[in-house]
Amino acid sequence: MALRCGIVGLPNVGKSTLFNCISSGKAQSANFPFCTIEPNIGSTIVPDPRLEVLEKLVNPNRVVPATVEIVDIAGLVKGASKGEGLGNQFLANIRETDAILHILRCFDDPNIVHVDGSVDPIRDKEIIDLELQLKDLETVENRLSKVSKQAVSGGDKQAKRLYDILIRFREALLAGKSARTVVFDNAEDEKMARDLFLLTNKPVMYVCNVDEASALTGNEYVERVREVIREENAELLVIAAKIESEIAELEDYEERQLFLNEIGLQESGVVRLIQSAYNLLNLQTYFTCGVQEVRAWTINKGDKAPRAASVIHTDFERGFIRAEVIKYEDFVHYGSEAACRAAGKLGVEGKEYVVQDGDIMHFLFNV
C-alpha cells in the first residue's frame, strides 16, 4: 500500500518548494498564484535505517524501501467550495489523498507576495478549513436527503446508523468544526464515517514553513498555530522549506549532514515530515529478506498476518497457512535467518498473529 499525501495551502506559502524537496517530481515554483495548475505527483522513499542494516547482513541483489506519494495541489482560495480559483478541481484532488499536509506560511519576506497582503497563518488556516468544511457540509446534506426517509420511516437499521453519523457531522460542520473532531465509540461507526470520504475527516498535519532562524525553535507564528490546533486531532511540524531546498541540492550525504549540523538539526525536516506522515496514518513496516531482495512493506498498525501478507499479493491472504516471523533485533543479533532458526528465534504464527513493526516475515500459502 502506498501512502498518498496531498499538500494544500493558500498560494505562495511554500507548497511547491516543499514538494520539490521531498519528491522526485519537479513542480514549478514561482511568485504568483496558480503556478501549479495540474496536481504534480511525485514519490519518495520512507527513510528507515533498518534497511541499511539488513542490506549489510543479507547482501541482496536489490533493496526496495517503502514509498510515499506526494501530490502538490494548487493553492486554494476563498470560494473554492463554490468553484472559485478552479476550486472544484482542487478539492477533488484532495479527496483522492490519504492525508493532508496543510502548509502555513510562518515567515516574513517582503519579496514574496501574500495573496491576502499580510502574513497571518491563523487566518490562512481558517480560509482553507472553511472551504473544506463547506464542501463537506454539501456532501453531508446531499447524503442526508437520500438516507433520511429510509432511516426515519423505512425501518432500515443501517440507514438509521448512517443517518445518525451524518447528523453528528452536520452539527460539527455547522459549528465551524472539522469532521475529524467527531469521535465515534465503535469500529463500525468509524468505518461508515470513513466511507463518506469527507475532506475534513482526513488526518491532517499542519506544516509551519519558517525562515532559517526559526528552523530549530519555531517562532511566534508557530506558537499561535500550536495553540489554535490544540483541540484538533492533528499534528504540527516546523520546516524551513527554503533551507530544505538547499539541502536537497546537495548530493553528498556528509555535506548534507554538515549543513544540518551548522543550523543545529540532527535530521532534515523532509525526513521528519515523511516519518510523521507515516505515523499520522497509523502505519508501520515489516520486512521480507532474501538473497534476491530485501524489502519494506507498509501495513496498518494492528493488522494480522493474513492482511499483512495481502500487500505482497492477494493470493497470500486468500490461501494463508502460516507465517514465519523473526524479530528485527534477533535477526541483527544472530546475523542470518539460519542462525535465528538454530537459536530458536524463528516463530511460527497463525491467522490471529498481530504483526509488529520491524518483523521479518515469510508467508506460506496455498491457493
Side-chain angles (χ1 to χ4, degrees):
M1 58 187 296
L3 167 62
R4 189 178 177 96
C5 293
I7 299 180
V8 304
L10 292 179
N12 296 345
V13 297
K15 300 184 313 303
S16 295
T17 300
L18 187 59
F19 173 84
N20 287 337
C21 294
I22 61 181
S23 170
S24 58
K26 291 295 180 184
Q28 182 187 4
S29 181
N31 186 23
F32 56 90
F34 305 117
C35 156
T36 309
I37 301 300
E38 296 297 329
N40 288 277
I41 301 175
S43 64
T44 189
I45 66 168
V46 177
D48 194 328
R50 294 174 297 186
L51 271 176
E52 297 178 16
V53 175
L54 293 174
E55 181 181 12
K56 291 177 181 178
L57 291 172
V58 179
N59 193 27
N61 291 334
R62 67 172 183 167
V63 176
V64 183
T67 60
V68 178
E69 283 190 351
I70 303 294
V71 184
D72 179 27
I73 298 166
L76 293 172
V77 295
K78 292 178 182 177
S81 59
K82 301 300 181 184
E84 294 294 328
L86 303 180
N88 287 330
Q89 177 184 341
F90 300 160
L91 292 170
N93 293 332
I94 297 171
R95 198 179 299 280
E96 296 171 359
T97 64
D98 299 307
I100 295 173
L101 306 178
H102 188 159
I103 314 301
L104 295 169
R105 177 172 170 175
C106 294
F107 66 91
D108 294 305
D109 188 338
N111 296 316
I112 300 179
V113 177
H114 191 287
V115 70
D116 282 328
S118 62
V119 177
D120 186 345
I122 306 306
R123 177 203 57 211
D124 295 355
K125 173 188 179 303
E126 290 173 349
I127 289 172
I128 299 293
D129 285 351
L130 178 60
E131 296 305 324
L132 300 184
Q133 289 164 9
L134 287 172
K135 199 65 180 178
D136 278 350
L137 185 59
E138 179 184 311
T139 300
V140 167
E141 295 285 9
N142 288 339
R143 290 300 300 271
L144 275 170
S145 67
K146 294 177 181 178
V147 79
S148 57
K149 186 176 181 180
Q150 294 172 285
V152 176
S153 59
D156 187 328
K157 291 183 178 179
Q158 286 299 97
K160 179 62 168 65
R161 191 166 202 157
L162 177 58
Y163 177 84
D164 291 341
I165 290 170
L166 289 166
I167 289 296
R168 291 189 64 189
F169 277 143
R170 183 173 70 176
E171 290 174 349
L173 292 165
L174 287 172
K177 298 179 180 179
S178 294
R180 75 181 67 89
T181 63
V182 179
V183 179
F184 297 97
D185 296 329
N186 60 76
E188 187 173 350
D189 283 356
E190 286 183 3
K191 184 179 185 307
M192 292 184 76
R194 284 197 306 271
D195 289 345
L196 292 169
F197 299 105
L198 298 181
L199 301 173
T200 65
N201 201 32
K202 293 179 181 293
V204 63
M205 181 190 304
Y206 293 100
V207 181
C208 294
N209 184 14
V210 301
D211 54 23
E212 180 178 352
S214 306
L216 186 60
T217 60
N219 56 29
E220 183 180 343
Y221 291 131
V222 173
E223 292 310 310
R224 288 175 58 199
V225 174
R226 198 186 305 277
E227 183 62 31
V228 166
I229 70 169
R230 192 176 301 279
E231 295 183 4
E232 276 194 56
N233 182 21
E235 295 189 20
L236 182 146
L237 191 69
V238 177
I239 281 184
K242 184 178 180 181
I243 297 302
E244 294 295 327
S245 67
E246 294 177 15
I247 295 173
E249 293 295 324
L250 300 174
E251 296 184 3
D252 184 75
Y253 174 79
E254 291 185 359
E255 282 188 56
R256 291 198 299 269
Q257 287 304 120
L258 183 60
F259 195 129
L260 288 169
N261 292 338
E262 287 178 354
I263 59 176
L265 295 174
Q266 293 184 335
E267 57 186 1
S268 75
V270 167
V271 169
R272 289 184 287 114
L273 186 147
I274 296 168
Q275 292 172 337
S276 296
Y278 211 64
N279 291 330
L280 182 68
L281 283 172
N282 205 34
L283 301 175
Q284 65 181 12
T285 300
Y286 77 85
F287 302 103
T288 51
C289 290
V291 174
Q292 293 300 318
E293 176 184 272
V294 167
R295 185 165 187 155
W297 301 92
T298 301
I299 60 171
N300 294 297
K301 292 178 181 178
D303 277 353
K304 294 181 179 180
R307 180 62 182 165
S310 73
V311 302
I312 299 177
H313 198 287
T314 53
D315 284 349
F316 281 31
E317 180 178 23
R318 186 159 56 92
F320 181 89
I321 299 173
R322 65 180 182 272
E324 296 180 343
V325 183
I326 302 173
K327 297 302 177 186
Y328 170 79
E329 294 78 10
D330 289 334
F331 196 98
V332 173
H333 177 75
Y334 290 97
S336 69
E337 178 182 327
C340 287
R341 191 183 297 270
K345 296 298 182 180
L346 184 148
V348 177
E349 306 290 351
K351 293 182 177 180
E352 295 305 309
Y353 176 70
V354 177
V355 179
Q356 302 300 303
D357 184 58
D359 279 353
I360 296 169
M361 306 189 73
H362 175 67
F363 298 103
L364 285 82
F365 70 102
N366 183 30
V367 291

